[in-house]
Amino acid sequence: MRYITMDQARPQMIVGKSVYNEAGQILVNYRVSLTENLIERMKEKHLQGLYIIDDLSEDIDVEPLVSDGLEMRATKVLHQMDIDAAMSVASDIADELLGQGDINVNLVSLRTSSDYTFKHSLSVAILSTLIGMGMGMKHSALKELAAAGLLHDIGKINVPREILEKPGPLTEEEYATIKLHSSNGYEILKENILITSKIKMGVYMHHENMNGTGYPLGLEGDQIYSFARIIHVADVYDAITSKRVYKKAQSPNEAVDFLIQNSGKLFDPKCVQAFVTYIPVYPKGRNVVLSDGSVAVVVENRQENTLYPVIRRLSDGETIDLSKQDEDGLKILGFQDI
């Protein structure tokens, strides 16, 4: 199967994965043939895209990183600010990720909700846990890390929505308000005895930079808790590659380049290295634009070559291993739908 945007959806296409509404109920079922009416209903619900099955992608098996039920639970506990339940969800996130044989980092949600904040928190929890796995962290630590990632933006509950979703540049006063969210998050969590100090410090320090230019404390290097250093990488990567009301999404290449260029300055080099070597930024089933202008679907990923997967060109069905191209050979420029 492969992922397409709603603008690319056409009648008679076969749905590869069920699509859900905000309440978690199936809106369009797996294996259904699309109609004009179904396409319009999904567009009205602001769904960004869906998976289809066709001749070019029928051998591509895309499994979710976390189950639909767990994704629904995560969104629910964040909406309800149920911190105790969030700890249970975080534990299950770590368990499910550790149970994955093939890491296929697919953060696309097939839900009609457009609420960035909650999707972002789940994505950061997943990415942080995967970075921790790449760094060889123990199971118990990964559960705490997933919790810190899930709760890292909990302080934004005190930030006015008009500031969070402002379509233009923030004023100095508005930016100062945004910057309070990490301290506010710590204040929300600090009296909860179920939350360990590692989780609290991960939330408190996730905007600290290695060179001391971050906030709220201006810490540097090893003064910053390890969880916060990991979350910082995951947070920035997901923010760069996400479409917002005030900006277009950038490609994974651009996001990874930013992480690498700022390794040792903003980010912990060990965390960046784990991200680059362990997390395939172009997941299976996604359409990508190649350097020759053609479009292909990602067929397979391999660790150590996460930016150079096996792809299949849509125009002629040719399968190409980009890791075996020479320096001037084909490269991926970004997702087709960005």
Side-chain angles (χ1 to χ4, degrees), residues 41-209:
R41 281 176 59 196
M42 287 187 283
K43 286 182 177 180
E44 288 170 3
K45 294 286 188 178
H46 305 292
L47 187 76
Q48 294 184 1
L50 74 159
Y51 282 95
I52 63 165
I53 300 173
D54 57 14
D55 292 341
L56 285 168
S57 62
E58 61 183 357
D59 62 333
I60 302 173
D61 186 21
V62 180
E63 293 297 328
L65 269 173
V66 297
S67 63
D68 289 332
L70 185 52
E71 182 185 336
M72 287 168 54
R73 283 173 56 209
T75 303
K76 183 178 179 181
V77 300
L78 290 170
H79 269 285
Q80 295 177 344
M81 283 279 291
D82 189 338
I83 296 170
D84 293 347
M87 295 296 293
S88 175
V89 167
S91 177
D92 289 345
I93 288 173
D95 287 342
E96 289 199 5
L97 292 178
L98 282 167
Q100 290 272 5
D102 175 29
I103 297 299
N104 170 43
V105 181
N106 186 352
L107 299 177
V108 175
S109 176
L110 297 188
R111 299 185 187 284
T112 55
S113 171
S114 58
D115 196 325
Y116 167 79
T117 299
F118 300 110
K119 288 181 181 178
H120 173 67
S121 293
L122 178 58
S123 295
V124 169
I126 291 170
L127 289 172
S128 296
T129 306
L130 292 175
I131 294 170
M133 289 167 62
M135 296 174 72
M137 291 176 64
K138 294 181 180 179
H139 192 174
S140 58
L142 290 173
K143 290 186 176 186
E144 291 180 281
L145 178 58
L150 195 63
L151 297 171
H152 81 287
D153 270 350
I154 196 169
K156 285 185 176 178
I157 192 72
N158 297 323
V159 178
R161 183 170 287 272
E162 57 267 25
I163 295 179
L164 289 175
E165 298 181 354
K166 185 178 179 180
L170 297 175
T171 66
E172 288 187 17
E173 184 178 350
E174 289 168 337
Y175 183 54
T177 299
I178 285 280
K179 288 171 67 175
L180 291 173
H181 79 273
S182 53
S183 299
N184 290 339
Y186 173 73
E187 290 298 320
I188 291 170
L189 300 176
K190 72 176 184 178
E191 300 299 334
N192 192 316
I193 62 173
L194 296 178
I195 309 294
T196 66
S197 60
K198 289 182 181 180
I199 297 171
K200 292 171 184 174
M201 290 300 105
V203 171
Y204 191 31
M205 299 180 181
H206 74 275
H207 279 293
E208 298 287 356
N209 296 327

Side-chain angles (χ1 to χ4, degrees), residues 295-311:
V295 177
V297 60
V298 178
V299 176
E300 195 61 66
N301 271 291
R302 298 191 184 92
Q303 284 185 36
E304 309 300 332
N305 286 300
T306 58
L307 289 172
Y308 303 96
V310 178
I311 54 94

Side-chain angles (χ1 to χ4, degrees), residues 234-249:
D235 181 35
V236 170
Y237 176 82
D238 189 68
I240 290 175
T241 56
S242 295
K243 182 179 179 181
R244 301 298 307 280
V245 291
Y246 52 82
K247 77 170 187 71
K248 295 177 64 176

